[in-house]
Amino acid sequence: MPQYVLALDQGTTSSRAILFDREQNIAAQEQKEYTQIYPREGWVEHDPMEIYSSQYAVMMELLARQNVAPADIAAIGIANQRETTILWERASGRPIYNAIVWQCRRTASIVDSLVEAGLADHIKKTTGLVPDAYFSGTKIKWILDHVEGAREKARNGEILFGTVDSWLIWKFSGLHLTDYTNASRTMLFDIHKLDWDDTLLSALDIPRSMLPEVRPSSAEYGAVTIQGVKIPIAGVAGDQQAALFGQGCFEKGQAKNTYGTGCFLLMNTGEKPVESRNGLVTTIAASLPGKLRYALEGSVFIGGAVVHWLRDEMGLIAESAEVEYYAAQTADTGGVYLVPAFAGLGAPYWDMHARGCIVGITRGTNRRHIIRAAEESIAYQVTDLLRAMEKDSGFVIPELKADGGASRDNFLMQFQADISGCAIIRPVIRETTALGAACLAGIAAGFWKGADELESRWKRDAVFSPSMDIQKRASLLSGWHKAVGHSQC
């Protein structure tokens, strides 16, 4: 009898493989970072072959190191960085260009042309999204426009498109598939009809034949053959929807925030999509077959990445872990605010042209103030999302489940609780993206019975309760919003 479910968590900076046992404990994991490519300012790319090779390598290394037989694995679940766009040749499987990463801003002018053509309302009503270079559709058009002969080959059915999940499924099984959550992030998918939208395909001159078949998140997606054993791929979800599922947010009104490279706040809104009027997007949640659920989502482009910036670009810290120490040792920021709009501003502002700024600097400002301001900027951005989400949904969010690498930072979690007025709950298993993918696959494979069993196994690690005075909170938030205004000048 199989003992494990294997999650492949293909992220923005690394590929990971995590093995979960029947009690949802992490039995083993492997991780491998891969190359970040910056051809120009504001452009971000990955090598698709390196994405695949790194993901395959960690999977095989995990099995070898742990002496796990393929027959011991009930199923494989895939969680992936979303919106990142890959085009490849149907016949050879070779990419025709590097993957254009979700952070890349090169297609802002294409988005502007869609808005000028009067398609902004259509995009919002059909896809649930706002026109932005963040999503996949304009990235597809850019590659077709800039790779010689690509558009003609695409019209002839010779070129395929996929987000990273589709690329991995193709490399593993030869099938051209995706799930509803990833499709809903392309700015090409009708989230109401559950089909690709011909109006947007026509506007961007994208042939329908390029696009993958779309399936529920917990379903059959072919198989990976290892040592002659076929292990079914039975769960697929974009990383943030996978985390929502892994956090056990199965009921309407439950929400989670992932503190990763970016920050991603999602709320389960139930069986009907909620149209945002406050700068959020409507998306499809990872769902079981016959139980489609929707979610409201707010995206912060630069979350934990601001810590990498402090370390790698500014040299203010030597290791990422130092940021918590310096922030906690400093009473406040001395009035300094850092707005990390390095890739524009995401929700609820959606300003592609905003740029990062530091305001409030005085002669007495030192590096500790800037480090703490960087930490606080993550929580301020998430609080903006919480307030927008409450307005859209009509729900008060009394508690927020937190996951991702930066959720280990106790200073950040407490400041998040204080500035938002919301209890922050951190689970024992913080690898909730991988756990969500594993759960989706495990249910489809019969390894777990259903959502009730998953919920009964979910365990909390810590609760951070708000303790800040309401007037102080209001004053700090007012200063933050003034700083955001400077970034949009």
Side-chain angles (χ1 to χ4, degrees), residues 342-468:
F342 307 148
L345 287 171
Y349 303 101
W350 293 109
D351 187 342
M352 295 183 292
H353 306 291
R355 289 295 176 262
C357 66
I358 302 175
V359 301
I361 295 175
T362 68
R363 181 65 182 81
T365 299
N366 60 48
R367 70 173 183 140
R368 294 190 178 203
H369 292 129
I370 295 174
I371 291 169
R372 177 162 174 151
E375 275 268 81
E376 291 186 358
S377 75
I378 301 171
Y380 282 125
Q381 292 177 96
V382 172
T383 299
D384 284 344
L385 300 182
L386 278 166
R387 297 291 89 87
M389 197 162 283
E390 288 178 333
K391 290 177 183 177
D392 279 336
S393 67
F395 301 142
V396 173
I397 303 175
E399 60 181 41
L400 178 68
K401 292 182 176 180
D403 57 71
S407 69
R408 296 180 177 88
D409 185 329
N410 290 331
F411 170 84
L412 176 60
M413 293 297 96
Q414 185 58 55
F415 188 77
Q416 183 69 81
D418 287 340
I419 204 64
S420 66
C422 178
I424 306 300
I425 301 175
R426 186 171 65 195
V428 170
I429 296 179
R430 297 170 200 168
E431 305 295 349
T432 53
T433 296
L435 178 60
C439 289
L440 290 164
I443 289 175
F447 190 76
W448 290 299
K449 294 179 180 178
D452 289 343
E453 181 180 358
L454 301 179
E455 191 171 13
S456 69
R457 298 181 188 279
W458 191 92
K459 299 179 182 67
R460 65 178 58 186
D461 168 58
V463 178
F464 299 86
S465 300
S467 58
M468 182 179 288

Side-chain angles (χ1 to χ4, degrees), residues 335-339 345 349 355-360 380 384 473-489:
V336 172
Y337 290 89
L338 189 157
V339 183
L345 287 171
Y349 303 101
R355 289 295 176 262
C357 66
I358 302 175
V359 301
Y380 282 125
D384 284 344
R473 180 187 303 149
S475 175
L476 289 174
L477 286 169
S478 176
W480 163 254
H481 292 134
K482 289 179 182 176
V484 170
H486 286 295
S487 77
Q488 297 177 289
C489 293

Side-chain angles (χ1 to χ4, degrees), residues 30-95:
E30 294 290 341
Q31 179 172 345
K32 182 178 177 62
E33 293 189 359
Y34 61 94
T35 308
Q36 307 295 303
I37 303 169
Y38 305 103
R40 299 184 191 176
E41 183 180 356
W43 290 28
V44 190
E45 296 179 358
H46 294 154
D47 178 348
M49 295 306 296
E50 189 178 7
I51 288 176
Y52 167 65
S53 64
S54 63
Q55 189 65 77
Y56 186 82
V58 292
M59 176 177 69
M60 298 306 294
E61 187 171 353
L62 182 149
L63 299 182
R65 282 180 182 270
Q66 301 301 318
N67 196 27
V68 173
D72 288 335
I73 301 173
I76 292 173
I78 296 175
N80 60 283
Q81 54 167 312
R82 305 172 302 170
E83 299 92 21
T84 295
T85 298
I86 303 172
L87 270 60
W88 66 92
E89 294 175 344
R90 183 191 294 271
S92 69
R94 288 195 298 265

Side-chain angles (χ1 to χ4, degrees), residues 251-268:
E251 300 299 323
K252 185 177 180 180
Q254 293 182 315
K256 71 88 197 175
N257 188 66
T258 296
Y259 295 83
T261 304
C263 290
F264 301 89
L265 178 61
L266 275 76
M267 173 196 278
N268 185 331

Side-chain angles (χ1 to χ4, degrees), residues 190-428:
D190 188 325
I191 63 172
H192 309 282
K193 297 178 181 178
L194 303 182
D195 192 14
W196 303 108
D197 180 68
D198 288 324
T199 298
L200 293 171
L201 294 179
S202 176
L204 293 169
D205 196 9
I206 297 172
R208 182 180 272 262
S209 61
M210 294 181 65
L211 307 176
E213 177 188 334
V214 189
R215 295 183 178 179
S217 298
S218 183
E220 180 184 347
Y221 286 87
V224 179
T225 302
I226 301 176
Q227 299 173 7
V229 177
K230 288 190 174 183
I231 307 172
I233 303 171
V236 174
D239 51 10
Q240 302 313 318
Q241 288 98 329
L244 185 70
F245 198 85
Q247 283 276 35
C249 295
F250 304 134
E251 300 299 323
K252 185 177 180 180
Q254 293 182 315
K256 71 88 197 175
N257 188 66
T258 296
Y259 295 83
T261 304
C263 290
F264 301 89
L265 178 61
L266 275 76
M267 173 196 278
N268 185 331
T269 61
E271 299 177 5
K272 294 183 179 180
V274 173
E275 183 176 343
S276 176
R277 300 182 183 278
N278 292 280
L280 304 178
V281 300
T282 305
T283 195
I284 298 178
S287 310
L288 301 177
K291 297 182 180 180
L292 188 71
R293 297 292 184 269
Y294 291 89
L296 276 172
E297 175 173 341
S299 304
V300 170
F301 293 155
I302 302 295
V306 72
V307 177
H308 300 158
W309 176 78
L310 290 175
R311 181 192 67 193
D312 300 336
E313 307 302 329
M314 302 303 291
L316 296 181
I317 54 175
E319 300 291 339
S320 296
E322 292 179 8
V323 73
E324 179 181 3
Y325 169 80
Y326 285 120
Q329 293 298 313
T330 307
D332 53 41
T333 67
V336 172
Y337 290 89
L338 189 157
V339 183
F342 307 148
L345 287 171
Y349 303 101
W350 293 109
D351 187 342
M352 295 183 292
H353 306 291
R355 289 295 176 262
C357 66
I358 302 175
V359 301
I361 295 175
T362 68
R363 181 65 182 81
T365 299
N366 60 48
R367 70 173 183 140
R368 294 190 178 203
H369 292 129
I370 295 174
I371 291 169
R372 177 162 174 151
E375 275 268 81
E376 291 186 358
S377 75
I378 301 171
Y380 282 125
Q381 292 177 96
V382 172
T383 299
D384 284 344
L385 300 182
L386 278 166
R387 297 291 89 87
M389 197 162 283
E390 288 178 333
K391 290 177 183 177
D392 279 336
S393 67
F395 301 142
V396 173
I397 303 175
E399 60 181 41
L400 178 68
K401 292 182 176 180
D403 57 71
S407 69
R408 296 180 177 88
D409 185 329
N410 290 331
F411 170 84
L412 176 60
M413 293 297 96
Q414 185 58 55
F415 188 77
Q416 183 69 81
D418 287 340
I419 204 64
S420 66
C422 178
I424 306 300
I425 301 175
R426 186 171 65 195
V428 170

Side-chain angles (χ1 to χ4, degrees), residues 5-9 16-20 26 28-30 62 431 434:
V5 174
L6 176 62
L8 304 181
D9 184 1
R16 297 189 298 165
I18 302 180
L19 205 60
F20 291 92
I26 295 176
Q29 58 184 312
E30 294 290 341
L62 182 149
E431 305 295 349

